[in-house]
Amino acid sequence: MNITNPTPVVGIRPPLGQLISMLQDSHQGAAGDPHIWPTGGTWPVGTPEEMYREWQRLRATGFTAMEPLLQRVRESSAVPGQTTLWCLRWHHPATCLLMLYCVTAPSSVGGWLDGLVTEREFTALTEFAKTVKAWPLLFGQARTQEEFLDVLRQTAAVGMKATVLGDWRLQEKEWAEAKAVVGSSPVQLGELAVGPDLSWLQTDGATLL
């Protein structure tokens, strides 16, 4: 499932490890102090402050804007023999996994981010990690249209059967170019590849990727 190329495409385990590390650090005293949150991971986060602000903004929305897409990711990841390629323009993979975790155990997230965690919430995180680490889910960095098309080209080139979803709203030209790149390959552009417009969450005018 690994793809080696200049445009970052990562599997689920690196961002899952980063998510768990950040939540554990939050529980140990980092909540409210993003300066000591770790910055590791396969993709650059920018700064811990940016990650923390993004999580707090998403938390304030209740993640409702992402619910249809999150449901589509879960459904797609359950299809045997198929990979879900989640291309990201507005979010980091660890943030997307946090959103999936919120849907799985919504009562737990506030406790983690506030540093107030019960044994039940530790159990919920452990069960979530066990479940999703086996998912055939890849994340593709798509900060620009060309990066997005590069990910599609390389995925189509290896003959991967994949459903492609995105976290931004494709414009008509982007959609047409994506369909042209995919062509007759096994790659499918999921109906929610035309995703919700989440640019308003970036209130500081900067993306995290």
Side-chain angles (χ1 to χ4, degrees):
M1 194 179 293
N2 294 326
I3 302 176
T4 302
N5 55 67
T7 303
V9 175
V10 299
I12 198 168
R13 288 175 182 255
L16 179 61
Q18 186 179 36
L19 171 64
I20 292 171
S21 175
M22 286 186 170
L23 290 178
Q24 288 175 338
D25 282 358
S26 170
H27 173 61
Q28 293 166 4
D33 185 5
H35 296 279
I36 59 175
W37 283 34
T39 59
T42 306
W43 289 0
V45 175
T47 67
E49 289 88 345
E50 286 177 337
M51 175 70 86
Y52 186 78
R53 285 199 303 270
E54 182 189 17
W55 284 12
Q56 292 292 12
R57 285 195 293 267
L58 287 166
R59 179 187 180 191
T61 71
F63 298 88
T64 54
M66 289 294 287
E67 282 182 1
L69 180 55
L70 296 174
Q71 180 62 29
R72 185 69 174 89
V73 170
R74 292 200 304 274
E75 292 172 353
S76 177
S77 297
V79 177
Q82 176 178 285
T83 296
T84 300
L85 176 60
W86 194 352
C87 291
L88 304 176
R89 186 160 294 181
W90 293 115
H91 300 109
H92 185 277
T95 303
C96 292
L97 289 176
L98 175 68
M99 289 187 282
L100 287 168
Y101 177 53
C102 286
V103 173
T104 304
S107 63
S108 297
V109 177
W112 281 105
L113 295 183
D114 293 334
L116 304 171
V117 186
T118 66
E119 187 66 30
R120 182 178 179 180
E121 288 161 348
F122 272 108
T123 301
L125 178 62
T126 301
E127 291 303 313
F128 171 77
K130 287 179 181 178
T131 299
V132 301
K133 71 180 180 181
W135 284 9
L137 177 62
L138 298 175
F139 295 98
Q141 183 167 291
R143 292 174 298 184
T144 66
Q145 173 65 357
E146 192 54 40
E147 283 187 345
F148 174 53
L149 295 178
D150 281 346
V151 170
L152 292 183
R153 289 187 192 101
Q154 292 157 21
T155 304
V158 298
M160 181 185 296
K161 184 179 180 182
T163 294
V164 180
L165 305 174
D167 72 342
W168 76 98
R169 181 175 293 157
L170 274 71
Q171 301 299 315
E172 185 175 347
K173 181 181 178 182
E174 288 183 306
W175 183 248
E177 290 177 343
K179 289 195 291 186
V181 167
V182 168
S184 59
S185 75
V187 176
Q188 299 178 358
L189 298 173
E191 65 251 28
L192 286 175
V194 184
D197 182 5
L198 299 176
S199 59
W200 58 271
L201 289 171
Q202 307 299 328
T203 55
D204 54 8
T207 65
L208 295 182
L209 298 179

